Amino acid sequence: MHPLIDFGPFPTLYSLVTAIACALSLPGALYEARYRRIPPRLILMVWPAMLMGGFLGAHFYYLLTHPHFMAVDPVPKIFNIFAGISVQGMIIGGPAALYLMLRLAGEPLLPVLDVFMPVVAFCQSVGRLGCLATGCCYGRPTGASFGIVFSDPFSPAPKAIPLHPTQIYESVLCVLLAAALHHRLKKEGEPAGRVFAAYVLGYSAIRFFVQFFRDDDAGHLVLGMAHSQYAAVLMAAGAVWLFRRAGARQA
């Protein structure tokens, strides 16, 4: 793995892969919007805000859950929203920014949220490949034949020992989630908000499961579970409520 690269504005392979994932999200959302008859101009209007809101939420959630991250040079790290991000914060920040934009435009939130969800899941899958290249979000030691070994000195993962490829686990599961959400979005008569609820529920289950194989939060467990697992339980509960409420609203 090669965390550091020299490619224009991208100092790390993770930043390059993340930029690719963000770029893919716009044509993906425009494609999916056809299934809910969302005009392309609306997607083009809200996409930048959702992207920025996602990064802001991801960054400040990371700062909140990783206070040790700011032990050295805290001020630059606070204002650099790309230094330290968490997917679960993105799930909060992106929809919040989307809500504000749609409220100003007088457009409903849930149909547009639904359109973005298959694309978000796919882009998360791409983003985890950036984690793999960097060595972050690394797994626990394993004796399995499919364990991966990191050797680059700039990688945060333990070196020279086989680790669970947790980045690949999550990447594959997110691709499957994206396919399931795309199929659900295409269904006629699906209540608005249910695709979003299915995404939150599906990703929460993925994160809860994969976290058992990760080792990057080993020193910060509470009752044997990471903060992301507790957050996943709360998000899943909210998703179940929204899923049922969306069906009741349509009925």
Side-chain angles (χ1 to χ4, degrees):
M1 304 304 169
H2 302 283
L4 302 183
I5 60 174
D6 184 14
F7 188 75
F10 305 106
T12 65
L13 194 52
Y14 176 80
S15 62
L16 175 61
V17 173
T18 301
I20 292 171
C22 291
L24 290 173
S25 66
L26 179 57
L30 290 170
Y31 177 82
E32 298 287 359
R34 303 176 308 159
Y35 298 112
R36 290 297 167 89
R37 299 177 180 86
I38 305 295
R41 60 171 180 79
L42 187 59
I43 299 297
L44 292 169
M45 181 184 74
V46 301
W47 175 75
M50 187 172 182
L51 207 61
M52 185 56 65
F55 274 110
L56 285 170
H59 179 58
F60 286 106
Y61 182 91
Y62 185 88
L63 296 182
L64 180 65
T65 55
H66 296 77
H68 59 282
F69 177 70
M70 295 189 292
V72 179
D73 296 328
V75 175
K77 291 178 179 177
I78 290 174
F79 290 100
N80 182 0
I81 65 170
F82 305 108
I85 57 176
S86 171
V87 172
Q88 288 169 309
M90 178 272 294
I91 296 174
I92 299 171
L98 188 62
Y99 169 76
L100 292 176
M101 288 294 295
L102 292 171
R103 187 71 181 267
L104 291 173
E107 298 285 349
L109 171 67
L110 293 179
V112 182
L113 260 183
D114 286 346
V115 160
F116 274 100
M117 290 307 105
V119 182
V120 168
F122 176 76
C123 290
Q124 284 175 221
S125 174
V126 175
R128 282 304 180 197
L129 299 180
C131 295
L132 178 66
T134 302
C136 63
C137 308
Y138 53 85
R140 296 182 176 184
T142 178
S145 59
F146 51 78
I148 56 176
V149 177
F150 293 92
S151 58
D152 193 289
F154 292 101
S155 171
K159 314 299 187 295
I161 58 173
L163 305 175
H164 276 284
T166 49
Q167 305 92 337
I168 298 177
Y169 296 166
E170 189 163 326
S171 182
V172 171
L173 290 171
C174 281
V175 165
L176 296 177
L177 176 61
L181 294 173
H182 171 73
H183 176 73
R184 191 172 198 101
L185 189 70
K186 291 170 62 178
K187 291 173 60 177
E188 291 289 338
E190 182 76 354
R194 276 201 165 175
V195 175
F196 173 64
Y199 161 76
V200 176
L201 184 60
Y203 182 73
S204 296
I206 290 171
R207 186 59 182 270
F208 189 88
F209 168 73
V210 172
Q211 191 67 45
F212 283 117
F213 298 94
R214 282 175 58 165
D215 206 35
D216 54 323
D217 284 330
H220 309 281
L221 301 182
V222 178
L223 300 179
M225 293 203 306
H227 66 86
S228 58
Q229 291 175 303
Y230 291 104
V233 171
L234 292 176
M235 288 182 172
V240 170
W241 174 83
L242 177 59
F243 195 89
R244 298 182 63 179
R245 182 175 175 81
R249 185 186 295 114
Q250 186 185 52

